[in-house]
Every structure is written in C-alpha cells, then in structure tokens.
C-alpha cells in the first residue's frame, strides 16, 4: 500500500484516499488580483481541492541580464523580461489577500516557490504544502532547504531523468517523509505522444513508499483521467478563464467547464476502481439467475450411474443445477436419483459433490 500522508489539514493523499486535484492558476491571472480571485472561486466551484499560484522573488530567480533582456513576444507585458514578470507578480500583501480569500471560499491555497526567497515567504504565510516546479527538481540546495522546513512537498519532474529523480528522492527523504512525485513533461501544449504516462508505473515501482501523481499540460481531460486510472494520487492542471488570453500557459489550460468535467470524471473513475478482488458481485446476481449456465444431462441417467463426461453438457437451465465450472468434478461420481434427459443435474442428486470441496 503506498504511503499516505496529510497534504493539507484534514486531507490525506495516497492509499485509497481520493485523488487531490490542484487547479494551477499560476500566472494566468494576467497580473490582476480581481481576476485571480475569480479564478480561486472558479476552482472551488468546479470541485478542485486546491488553488495554486507561482511566487517569485525576481532578483533571486533571475540574474540581472535575464531581467534586462528585451522581450518582444506576443505574450509580453513589458519592454524587458523583467518588466513582463513584474507585471505578473503579486506583492506579499496581495498574496496574503488571496490566501484569505481562498480561506473564505473554502479551498486550499498554495504556490510554487520559484526561488529560495519565495519559499521563505510561503513558509512565513503558512501554506499547507510546497509545490516544487519542474525547473527546480534538479536544484538540490533548494530541495534540501524545502525539505528541512518539514512541510509536505509536491515535486513535478518535467525535464528530469530517472537518475535525477532517484537523487531527488534521497535528498528529500533524508529530511522529510511526506512528499509525492508528479510525472510531468514540460511542453505547452503537450502532444499526447510526449505525455509518457508509463512513467507513473515506473515511479510506483521505483518509489513504492510515496504517492505518485501527474501534472499535465495537454489539451482536454482524457489523459489526466487515464493517469488516475493508473494510480495517480495527485493531479495538477493549469486553468484559465479564457484560452485566448495573452500568456504561454492559456492554450494548455482548462476552462471552467473542462475543469468541472475533469473533477467529475476523476471521481467517477475512482468509484469504478473497485477492490481488485475478483468475485461475483451482488449486482450480478440477477443476470446470473437469468442467464447463468449449469450442468444438464445429455441423456437420461438412471439412479446409481457413475457419471462420465459424455453424459453431461452445459446450458441455461431451470432449475439451475451444478455450476458450469464444476462439470469435471462430477466425473466418476454416482447419481442418487434418476436424471431425465435435458434435466438439470442438481447438487443434491450427486453423491459426494460439494461446491466448496
């Protein structure tokens, strides 16, 4: 049984607990706090468990030259990349306002700390868990710092190798037992051929004591639902209010109707997963009683006859006789009463027959 732990207050993940669904707002709020609040409310209304943002302290995430380079992309919010990122970055005060709003709405709130100083701030405001973005999955000083703070961690693994993820596991595990890996491919939008859902199964084998999840950047919801059927215990998807808005992530994001359907479909799949124990279920009894086959006599079988296989066949019969799967058990046994041709071979007429034997 995979490890279970409390990711958020009162909310366990792993084992038989429901998949934890993260609505990744990221920076799809366009730098507008009112839009951000609408998106938090949307995530709650659609049934997601958590609304997640991305927090950066820009001078700690980028060097000076990166911030000063001209940014002429159609998605740009400023002349330089620094101007662009500053437009999209909420202040500490605004983050506290969003956190309070999420609490009022009734949805968990967190963010990816995109640098070590951002992690310090997120720790200060007491987010329930740290989300590690794929770009920091091989940043081992950062990982160690996060792990030592003791909060649960959700680690995306885009752009990484299995060997790197083994190192990540060892680094985090040394300081913090409560973490999960998400299979992820860092492309926006993501082609189905590059999703690589089979990595989920490889992670489950490689890291059997932690829950495994999925962070998707594909269009639509089918692949994310398939990930849950493969055992993903956390699913993260980007969300937006309009896929045509300016920004790299909108095209690979889910609009409210899609997020609602994702949640509905995941919960449906969870109901369908069952116990893994194969047996006839109570809901199948009506079909079995109507169409279940049993053993009947091919010929008239007089009392005292020792049964041979050529005397027997299998049909839908009234009344239902010996179960079809037990036909070979009857060979060599004696009938205690006459059995008419095409009549049911009832358990009571066969000497020494025992269904449980």
């Amino acid at each position: 049984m995979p490890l279970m732990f409390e990711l958020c207050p009162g909310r366990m993940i792993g084992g038989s607990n429901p998949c934890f669904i993260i609505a990744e707002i990221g920076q799809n709020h366009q730098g507008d706090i009112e839009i951000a609040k609408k998106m938090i409310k949307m995530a709650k209304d659609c049934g997601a468990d958590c609304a997640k943002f991305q927090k950066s302290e820009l001078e700690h995430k980028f060097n000076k030259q990166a911030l000063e380079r001209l940014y002429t992309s159609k998605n740009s919010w400023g002349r330089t990349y620094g101007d662009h990122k500053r437009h999209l970055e909420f202040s500490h005060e605004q983050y506290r306002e969003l956190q309070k709003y999420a609490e009022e709405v009734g949805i968990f709130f967190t963010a990816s700390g995109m640098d070590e100083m951002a992690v310090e701030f997120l720790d200060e405001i007491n987010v329930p868990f740290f989300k590690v973005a794929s770009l920091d999955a091989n940043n081992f000083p950062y990982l160690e710092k996060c792990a030592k703070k003791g909060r649960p961690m959700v680690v995306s693994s885009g752009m990484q190798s299995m060997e790197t993820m083994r190192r990540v596991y060892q680094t985090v595990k040394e300081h913090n037992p409560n973490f999960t890996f998400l299979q992820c491919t860092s492309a926006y939008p993501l082609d189905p051929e590059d999703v690589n859902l089979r990595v989920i199964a490889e992670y489950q084998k490689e890291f059997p004591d932690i829950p495994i999840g999925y962070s998707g950047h594909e269009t639509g919801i089918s692949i994310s639902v398939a990930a849950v059927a493969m055992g993903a215990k956390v699913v993260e998807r980007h969300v937006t209010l309009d896929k045509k808005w300016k920004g790299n992530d909108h095209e690979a994001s889910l609009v409210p109707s899609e997020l609602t359907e994702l949640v509905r479909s995941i919960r449906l799949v969870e109901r369908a997963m069952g116990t893994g124990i194969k047996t006839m279920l109570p809901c199948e009894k009506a079909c079995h009683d109507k169409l279940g086959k049993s053993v009947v006599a091919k010929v008239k079988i007089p009392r005292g006859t020792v049964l041979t296989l050529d005397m027997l066949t299998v049909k839908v019969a009234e009344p239902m006789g010996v179960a079809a799967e037990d036909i070979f058990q009857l060979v060599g046994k004696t009938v205690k009463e006459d059995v008419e041709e095409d009549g049911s071979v009832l358990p009571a007429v066969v000497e020494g027959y025992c269904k449980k034997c």
Side-chain angles (χ1 to χ4, degrees):
M1 178 68 72
L3 177 71
M4 298 182 290
F5 65 86
E6 190 177 56
L7 184 63
C8 296
R11 183 59 160 88
M12 301 290 290
I13 65 164
S16 61
N17 293 289
C19 176
F20 189 85
I21 301 171
I22 300 172
E24 163 69 288
I25 295 169
Q27 295 190 323
N28 280 355
H29 48 69
Q30 312 298 86
D32 186 324
I33 195 167
E34 294 307 315
I35 291 177
K37 288 179 179 180
K38 288 180 182 178
M39 296 183 77
I40 290 172
K41 182 64 162 56
M42 177 268 284
K44 170 64 177 178
D45 291 345
C46 292
D49 295 291
C50 180
K52 190 184 80 67
F53 290 80
Q54 295 173 7
K55 182 72 187 91
S56 300
E57 303 294 340
L58 296 179
E59 286 71 23
H60 293 271
K61 180 181 178 182
F62 301 99
N63 71 4
K64 185 176 181 181
Q65 189 171 342
L67 291 172
E68 291 179 350
R69 71 179 171 88
L70 295 179
Y71 192 50
T72 57
S73 164
K74 65 180 183 179
N75 294 313
S76 175
W77 291 96
R79 188 181 69 85
T80 66
Y81 194 65
D83 292 337
H84 165 76
K85 296 301 288 186
R86 289 182 193 98
H87 173 84
L88 295 171
E89 193 63 46
F90 289 137
S91 68
H92 289 190
E93 182 180 347
Q94 288 173 313
Y95 258 88
R96 290 188 173 93
E97 183 178 342
L98 291 172
Q99 184 182 41
K100 181 180 179 182
Y101 180 75
E103 185 177 355
E104 292 170 356
V105 167
I107 189 170
F108 294 117
F109 173 93
T110 194
S112 298
M114 309 300 281
D115 55 80
E116 290 188 14
M117 290 306 295
V119 170
E120 291 295 334
F121 169 68
L122 294 173
D123 189 49
E124 179 184 321
I125 66 171
N126 198 30
V127 294
F129 66 91
F130 292 138
K131 171 66 200 303
V132 177
S134 291
L135 58 87
D136 277 311
N138 62 349
N139 183 349
F140 289 96
Y142 169 97
L143 290 169
E144 186 173 358
K145 183 170 187 174
C146 287
K148 284 182 174 179
K149 290 188 176 296
R151 296 185 188 276
M153 295 170 62
V154 175
V155 183
S156 280
S157 60
M159 304 177 287
Q160 311 306 326
S161 67
M162 182 64 84
E163 182 55 38
T164 296
M165 295 312 296
R166 291 189 187 104
R167 288 184 60 196
V168 174
Y169 174 88
Q170 294 297 336
T171 299
V172 176
K173 190 76 170 179
E174 182 179 352
H175 306 288
N176 189 341
N178 296 328
F179 64 101
T180 176
F181 286 167
L182 308 186
Q183 161 55 4
C184 178
T185 303
S186 298
Y188 308 80
L190 176 61
D191 291 334
E193 293 78 8
D194 293 324
V195 171
N196 210 358
L197 283 180
R198 287 193 173 96
V199 172
I200 292 173
E202 294 304 307
Y203 279 171
Q204 288 166 339
K205 289 188 287 186
E206 190 78 26
F207 313 112
D209 59 343
I210 65 171
I212 302 301
Y214 175 70
S215 178
H217 302 132
E218 72 278 1
T219 57
I221 68 168
S222 300
I223 290 170
S224 296
V225 175
V228 174
M230 294 181 69
K233 302 302 182 182
V234 176
V235 165
E236 177 186 62
R237 289 297 304 270
H238 288 257
V239 297
T240 183
L241 297 179
D242 189 338
K243 293 189 183 191
K244 295 181 180 179
W245 276 354
K246 183 190 295 189
N248 290 323
D249 291 345
H250 291 287
E251 188 179 353
S253 299
L254 302 180
V255 294
S257 61
E258 291 175 308
L259 180 58
T260 297
E261 181 58 21
L262 174 67
V263 174
R264 189 199 70 82
S265 296
I266 286 175
R267 300 306 177 218
L268 182 63
V269 166
E270 288 174 330
R271 289 169 55 198
M273 292 302 291
T275 64
I277 299 169
K278 184 58 182 172
T279 186
M280 187 167 70
L281 297 174
C283 66
E284 297 177 289
K285 188 177 186 304
C287 184
H288 178 264
D289 290 348
K290 180 180 179 182
L291 297 175
K293 291 189 174 184
S294 61
V295 179
V296 301
K298 270 188 183 179
V299 296
K300 182 175 181 179
I301 306 173
R303 175 184 175 183
T305 300
V306 176
L307 294 171
T308 59
L309 190 59
D310 59 3
M311 298 175 184
L312 307 172
T313 190
V314 172
K315 293 183 178 182
V316 177
E318 286 288 344
M320 188 172 285
V322 170
E325 66 264 26
D326 288 350
I327 189 169
F328 297 120
Q329 293 185 32
L330 302 182
V331 175
K333 291 183 169 56
T334 302
V335 293
K336 298 184 285 185
E337 300 176 16
D338 292 344
V339 182
E340 297 300 318
E341 180 181 351
D342 205 41
S344 299
V345 179
L346 301 175
V349 307
V350 181
E351 192 173 289
Y353 170 75
C354 177
K355 173 64 179 172
K356 295 184 179 178
C357 294

